[in-house]
Amino acid sequence: MKFKQFIRQESVLIVAIILAVLSAFLVHPDKEYIDYIDFRTLGILFSLMTVMAGLKRHGVFDRMGRALLKHTGGTLQLVLVLVGLCFFGSMFITNDVALLTFVPFTFAILGNLGEQMQHRLALPVVCMQTVAANLGSMLTPIGNPQNLYLYSRSKISIMEFAGLMLPYTLVSAVLLVGWAVLLCRRQKEKISFTAIAQHQSGQGNNKIVVLYGILFACCLLAVIHIVPYSIVFGVVLFCVFCGDRKTLSAVDYSLLLTFVAFFIFIGNLGRITIFSSWLREIISGQEVLVAVMASQVTSNVPAALLLSGFTQNMEALIIGTNLGGLGTLIASMASLISYRQIVGQMPHSKGKYFGIFTASNIIFLIILLAVWVLTGR
């Protein structure tokens, strides 16, 4: 049973390993293999995931959400806060962490407000939180794993990166607000914070929280090339190992292994002349559309890793893989986090959620692709 569960949860990792092993039969392991690995991306990704895991473990994001909810007085404000936490939070704490934190938080909040409120709002709100996390994360290099990797490959500045994705982020924000207004247009009831304030999370260790804040600042310095990533990696590992060792067990090591396996697979494909020439010809000039389509079946992280080996147009891949996170349930692996929460909390509604999710994602994807066509970038 545990093996089947592992297969389901780590399917992308398993596929990546199989592809890497198969490619090794075509290009036998040699000293060039080490050059495939982007250690900078892996080092910064590990550091950021560790810091985010620590902040989450000490309840920082939960307390932040409850503080914002103190100022809500109606259904629309509640929905905007719950969705906004994922949209804006994902820009800095990644889409995965935002959903891991705020989707369970949403169920707790709606549950405290009564069964009727939970039944009416849970599915559409969780769906839009997922969309919001995937869209908010596209604005920054640290918003999701593929952005961090493509940002490093593109050699553009952090401001250029944000400027590239800003039009899509602004349109997404307007769409999310419009959706919230439509959802809540007939719901005028007041919300008492007394219910929301129940079951407060623990305060955590404030000294450790401050330490994680400092480490997060160090990670940002590594991202913008001010501090060497190797130093930040060593500092984060040392500080967390000495001060908060349990957090190390909460890091998503399978994602790091997935990156390594795909680096090997892509590196080997690049050395197979016939295949690499064919793939470059297909991708050339069509990076955005190819990235969107590839993301629908492989998810956007593997799509970014694969396609980056066969084009120099990293900016187009940044747009394509971010927009490609919309669409199917597996277009962004972060979306599965919300789906698992729905299955656990409301198993009889998973089919309805899937329908709402798919329809919403297709609508958002079509609109944002139209923005791409109109802006020409």
Side-chain angles (χ1 to χ4, degrees):
M1 189 66 180
K2 289 184 178 180
F3 179 73
K4 290 183 178 179
Q5 184 178 4
F6 175 81
I7 294 293
R8 286 197 298 268
Q9 291 181 348
E10 305 297 346
S11 56
V12 176
L13 170 61
I14 292 169
V15 170
I17 291 174
I18 291 173
L19 291 174
V21 171
L22 291 176
S23 69
F25 285 102
L26 299 175
V27 180
H28 296 163
D30 55 25
K31 63 181 181 180
E32 291 188 35
Y33 267 49
I34 196 67
D35 295 327
Y36 297 164
I37 311 300
D38 186 342
F39 290 103
R40 172 181 165 76
T41 296
L42 294 177
I44 296 176
L45 186 58
F46 168 83
S47 301
L48 282 169
M49 287 195 299
T50 302
V51 170
M52 292 304 121
L55 290 172
K56 181 179 184 297
R57 203 171 78 85
H58 287 272
V60 172
F61 307 131
D62 185 81
R63 296 202 300 274
M64 178 180 68
R66 293 183 186 276
L68 288 173
L69 285 174
K70 287 181 181 180
H71 305 288
T72 61
T75 306
L76 177 58
Q77 290 177 314
L78 173 65
V79 170
L80 287 174
V81 168
L82 292 176
V83 174
L85 283 168
C86 290
F87 184 73
F88 293 105
S90 64
M91 297 176 184
F92 305 100
I93 66 175
T94 75
N95 53 352
D96 298 75
V97 173
L99 292 173
L100 283 169
T101 302
F102 297 124
V103 170
F105 175 75
T106 296
F107 276 111
I109 296 303
L110 295 180
N112 288 335
L113 293 176
E115 185 176 344
Q116 184 179 7
M117 182 72 78
Q118 183 175 27
H119 178 75
R120 186 166 65 234
L121 294 179
L123 294 184
V125 169
V126 171
C127 175
M128 277 304 114
Q129 284 183 307
T130 308
V131 172
N134 287 328
L135 292 178
S137 65
M138 65 185 174
L139 183 64
T140 66
I142 62 173
N144 52 58
Q146 84 268 4
N147 274 3
L148 183 62
Y149 169 68
L150 293 175
Y151 169 73
S152 179
R153 289 288 304 271
S154 68
K155 308 299 183 184
I156 62 178
S157 71
I158 194 167
M159 294 306 295
E160 289 173 321
F161 186 102
L164 179 68
M165 298 310 301
L166 184 60
Y168 306 98
T169 306
L170 293 176
V171 172
S172 299
V174 172
L175 291 174
L176 289 168
V177 171
W179 166 87
V181 171
L182 288 175
L183 177 67
C184 304
R185 66 188 183 279
R186 295 181 181 176
Q187 299 172 14
K188 307 294 184 181
E189 61 265 46
K190 293 289 184 180
I191 295 176
S192 170
F193 182 72
T194 302
I196 294 178
Q198 293 176 2
H199 308 297
Q200 291 278 5
S201 61
Q203 291 299 305
N205 187 320
N206 288 333
K207 291 182 179 179
I208 294 295
V209 169
V210 170
L211 173 63
Y212 280 121
I214 295 171
L215 293 177
F216 179 62
C218 292
C219 291
L220 294 181
L221 293 176
V223 169
I224 59 179
H225 303 276
I226 292 178
V227 177
Y229 79 89
S230 55
I231 293 178
V232 172
F233 170 81
V235 169
V236 170
L237 182 60
F238 175 79
C239 290
V240 177
F241 182 82
C242 295
D244 193 31
R245 196 170 303 177
K246 289 184 179 179
T247 292
L248 291 174
S249 63
V251 175
D252 186 3
Y253 294 102
S254 66
L255 179 60
L256 297 174
L257 291 174
T258 300
F259 267 73
V260 172
F262 269 113
F263 284 147
I264 293 172
F265 174 62
I266 295 162
N268 284 338
L269 287 186
R271 294 169 66 182
I272 303 174
T273 306
I274 295 177
F275 183 84
S276 61
S277 298
W278 172 73
L279 195 54
R280 285 190 178 93
E281 185 176 345
I282 291 177
I283 297 172
S284 180
Q286 303 294 327
E287 287 86 356
V288 172
L289 292 178
V290 172
V292 169
M293 290 187 291
S295 297
Q296 304 308 304
V297 293
T298 66
S299 91
N300 51 5
V301 172
L305 295 173
L306 174 61
L307 299 178
S308 65
F310 303 96
T311 179
Q312 297 300 314
N313 193 348
M314 294 300 124
E315 294 186 11
L317 282 188
I318 291 169
I319 295 172
T321 53
N322 276 293
L323 300 189
L326 297 169
T328 65
L329 189 61
I330 63 169
S332 170
M333 297 306 290
S335 300
L336 294 176
I337 295 171
S338 303
Y339 182 70
R340 292 190 190 110
Q341 289 289 325
I342 290 292
V343 171
Q345 297 284 341
M346 306 173 69
H348 299 298
S349 299
K350 61 183 180 181
K352 184 178 180 181
Y353 173 83
F354 181 78
I356 295 172
F357 175 89
T358 303
S360 302
N361 272 259
I362 290 174
I363 291 170
F364 273 72
L365 178 58
I366 290 173
I367 293 173
L368 291 176
L369 281 174
V371 173
W372 167 66
V373 172
L374 292 173
T375 58
R377 55 180 302 186

